[in-house]
PDB file of all heavy atoms in Angstrom:
ATOM      1  N   GLU A  81     -16.134 -15.362  -8.422  1.00 88.00           N
ATOM      2  CA  GLU A  81     -16.931 -14.208  -8.029  1.00 88.00           C
ATOM      3  C   GLU A  81     -16.144 -12.907  -8.145  1.00 88.00           C
ATOM      4  O   GLU A  81     -16.729 -11.842  -8.285  1.00 88.00           O
ATOM      5  CB  GLU A  81     -17.445 -14.383  -6.597  1.00 88.00           C
ATOM      6  CG  GLU A  81     -18.394 -15.558  -6.438  1.00 88.00           C
ATOM      7  CD  GLU A  81     -18.746 -15.846  -4.982  1.00 88.00           C
ATOM      8  OE1 GLU A  81     -18.420 -15.002  -4.109  1.00 88.00           O
ATOM      9  OE2 GLU A  81     -19.335 -16.907  -4.725  1.00 88.00           O
ATOM     10  N   LEU A  82     -14.826 -12.981  -8.043  1.00 86.00           N
ATOM     11  CA  LEU A  82     -13.937 -11.834  -8.213  1.00 86.00           C
ATOM     12  C   LEU A  82     -12.829 -12.232  -9.174  1.00 86.00           C
ATOM     13  O   LEU A  82     -12.396 -13.377  -9.190  1.00 86.00           O
ATOM     14  CB  LEU A  82     -13.309 -11.409  -6.884  1.00 86.00           C
ATOM     15  CG  LEU A  82     -14.221 -10.827  -5.824  1.00 86.00           C
ATOM     16  CD1 LEU A  82     -13.443 -10.569  -4.530  1.00 86.00           C
ATOM     17  CD2 LEU A  82     -14.870  -9.538  -6.301  1.00 86.00           C
ATOM     18  N   ASP A  83     -12.367 -11.261  -9.942  1.00 87.00           N
ATOM     19  CA  ASP A  83     -11.283 -11.505 -10.874  1.00 87.00           C
ATOM     20  C   ASP A  83     -10.201 -10.465 -10.626  1.00 87.00           C
ATOM     21  O   ASP A  83     -10.400  -9.283 -10.891  1.00 87.00           O
ATOM     22  CB  ASP A  83     -11.805 -11.409 -12.311  1.00 87.00           C
ATOM     23  CG  ASP A  83     -10.736 -11.725 -13.335  1.00 87.00           C
ATOM     24  OD1 ASP A  83      -9.733 -12.388 -12.978  1.00 87.00           O
ATOM     25  OD2 ASP A  83     -10.896 -11.314 -14.498  1.00 87.00           O
ATOM     26  N   PHE A  84      -9.081 -10.897 -10.050  1.00 87.00           N
ATOM     27  CA  PHE A  84      -7.966  -9.986  -9.810  1.00 87.00           C
ATOM     28  C   PHE A  84      -6.662 -10.754  -9.948  1.00 87.00           C
ATOM     29  O   PHE A  84      -6.615 -11.965  -9.803  1.00 87.00           O
ATOM     30  CB  PHE A  84      -8.071  -9.309  -8.432  1.00 87.00           C
ATOM     31  CG  PHE A  84      -8.050 -10.265  -7.265  1.00 87.00           C
ATOM     32  CD1 PHE A  84      -6.855 -10.628  -6.665  1.00 87.00           C
ATOM     33  CD2 PHE A  84      -9.232 -10.784  -6.754  1.00 87.00           C
ATOM     34  CE1 PHE A  84      -6.826 -11.498  -5.584  1.00 87.00           C
ATOM     35  CE2 PHE A  84      -9.221 -11.648  -5.664  1.00 87.00           C
ATOM     36  CZ  PHE A  84      -8.025 -12.009  -5.079  1.00 87.00           C
ATOM     37  N   GLU A  85      -5.607 -10.012 -10.268  1.00 88.00           N
ATOM     38  CA  GLU A  85      -4.269 -10.585 -10.428  1.00 88.00           C
ATOM     39  C   GLU A  85      -3.349 -10.220  -9.274  1.00 88.00           C
ATOM     40  O   GLU A  85      -2.398 -10.919  -8.997  1.00 88.00           O
ATOM     41  CB  GLU A  85      -3.649 -10.071 -11.733  1.00 88.00           C
ATOM     42  CG  GLU A  85      -4.458 -10.429 -12.959  1.00 88.00           C
ATOM     43  CD  GLU A  85      -4.119  -9.546 -14.148  1.00 88.00           C
ATOM     44  OE1 GLU A  85      -3.524  -8.464 -13.961  1.00 88.00           O
ATOM     45  OE2 GLU A  85      -4.464  -9.938 -15.271  1.00 88.00           O
ATOM     46  N   ARG A  86      -3.608  -9.070  -8.651  1.00 87.00           N
ATOM     47  CA  ARG A  86      -2.755  -8.552  -7.585  1.00 87.00           C
ATOM     48  C   ARG A  86      -3.615  -8.028  -6.449  1.00 87.00           C
ATOM     49  O   ARG A  86      -4.767  -7.665  -6.644  1.00 87.00           O
ATOM     50  CB  ARG A  86      -1.894  -7.402  -8.108  1.00 87.00           C
ATOM     51  CG  ARG A  86      -0.839  -7.832  -9.084  1.00 87.00           C
ATOM     52  CD  ARG A  86      -0.036  -6.618  -9.563  1.00 87.00           C
ATOM     53  NE  ARG A  86       1.126  -7.047 -10.282  1.00 87.00           N
ATOM     54  CZ  ARG A  86       1.135  -7.375 -11.552  1.00 87.00           C
ATOM     55  NH1 ARG A  86       0.027  -7.321 -12.247  1.00 87.00           N
ATOM     56  NH2 ARG A  86       2.241  -7.752 -12.149  1.00 87.00           N
ATOM     57  N   VAL A  87      -3.011  -7.962  -5.279  1.00 88.00           N
ATOM     58  CA  VAL A  87      -3.654  -7.354  -4.124  1.00 88.00           C
ATOM     59  C   VAL A  87      -2.737  -6.238  -3.636  1.00 88.00           C
ATOM     60  O   VAL A  87      -1.530  -6.437  -3.486  1.00 88.00           O
ATOM     61  CB  VAL A  87      -3.876  -8.375  -2.980  1.00 88.00           C
ATOM     62  CG1 VAL A  87      -4.435  -7.679  -1.749  1.00 88.00           C
ATOM     63  CG2 VAL A  87      -4.793  -9.499  -3.423  1.00 88.00           C
ATOM     64  N   VAL A  88      -3.328  -5.069  -3.409  1.00 84.00           N
ATOM     65  CA  VAL A  88      -2.618  -3.951  -2.802  1.00 84.00           C
ATOM     66  C   VAL A  88      -3.249  -3.737  -1.439  1.00 84.00           C
ATOM     67  O   VAL A  88      -4.468  -3.632  -1.321  1.00 84.00           O
ATOM     68  CB  VAL A  88      -2.739  -2.666  -3.649  1.00 84.00           C
ATOM     69  CG1 VAL A  88      -2.139  -1.477  -2.905  1.00 84.00           C
ATOM     70  CG2 VAL A  88      -2.062  -2.844  -4.998  1.00 84.00           C
ATOM     71  N   ILE A  89      -2.427  -3.687  -0.408  1.00 83.00           N
ATOM     72  CA  ILE A  89      -2.915  -3.406   0.931  1.00 83.00           C
ATOM     73  C   ILE A  89      -2.476  -1.996   1.272  1.00 83.00           C
ATOM     74  O   ILE A  89      -1.288  -1.713   1.355  1.00 83.00           O
ATOM     75  CB  ILE A  89      -2.365  -4.411   1.962  1.00 83.00           C
ATOM     76  CG1 ILE A  89      -2.795  -5.823   1.597  1.00 83.00           C
ATOM     77  CG2 ILE A  89      -2.841  -4.035   3.367  1.00 83.00           C
ATOM     78  CD1 ILE A  89      -2.153  -6.889   2.451  1.00 83.00           C
ATOM     79  N   GLU A  90      -3.456  -1.110   1.453  1.00 79.00           N
ATOM     80  CA  GLU A  90      -3.175   0.277   1.790  1.00 79.00           C
ATOM     81  C   GLU A  90      -3.329   0.414   3.291  1.00 79.00           C
ATOM     82  O   GLU A  90      -4.381   0.147   3.847  1.00 79.00           O
ATOM     83  CB  GLU A  90      -4.143   1.206   1.051  1.00 79.00           C
ATOM     84  CG  GLU A  90      -3.768   2.667   1.117  1.00 79.00           C
ATOM     85  CD  GLU A  90      -4.268   3.381   2.359  1.00 79.00           C
ATOM     86  OE1 GLU A  90      -5.192   2.903   3.029  1.00 79.00           O
ATOM     87  OE2 GLU A  90      -3.711   4.437   2.666  1.00 79.00           O
ATOM     88  N   THR A  91      -2.253   0.801   3.944  1.00 76.00           N
ATOM     89  CA  THR A  91      -2.295   0.977   5.393  1.00 76.00           C
ATOM     90  C   THR A  91      -2.266   2.459   5.715  1.00 76.00           C
ATOM     91  O   THR A  91      -2.037   3.287   4.848  1.00 76.00           O
ATOM     92  CB  THR A  91      -1.092   0.285   6.059  1.00 76.00           C
ATOM     93  OG1 THR A  91       0.106   0.930   5.630  1.00 76.00           O
ATOM     94  CG2 THR A  91      -1.037  -1.189   5.715  1.00 76.00           C
ATOM     95  N   THR A  92      -2.457   2.778   6.947  1.00 67.00           N
ATOM     96  CA  THR A  92      -2.342   4.179   7.355  1.00 67.00           C
ATOM     97  C   THR A  92      -0.881   4.493   7.639  1.00 67.00           C
ATOM     98  O   THR A  92      -0.047   3.598   7.741  1.00 67.00           O
ATOM     99  CB  THR A  92      -3.155   4.446   8.636  1.00 67.00           C
ATOM    100  OG1 THR A  92      -2.524   3.735   9.715  1.00 67.00           O
ATOM    101  CG2 THR A  92      -4.594   4.027   8.490  1.00 67.00           C
ATOM    102  N   GLY A  93      -0.591   5.759   7.796  1.00 66.00           N
ATOM    103  CA  GLY A  93       0.764   6.180   8.128  1.00 66.00           C
ATOM    104  C   GLY A  93       1.213   5.705   9.496  1.00 66.00           C
ATOM    105  O   GLY A  93       2.385   5.775   9.817  1.00 66.00           O
TER     106      GLY A  93
END
Side-chain angles (χ1 to χ4, degrees):
E81 296 172 11
L82 293 175
D83 183 21
F84 61 90
E85 300 160 342
R86 291 180 169 84
V87 175
V88 173
I89 300 173
E90 191 275 341
T91 64
T92 68

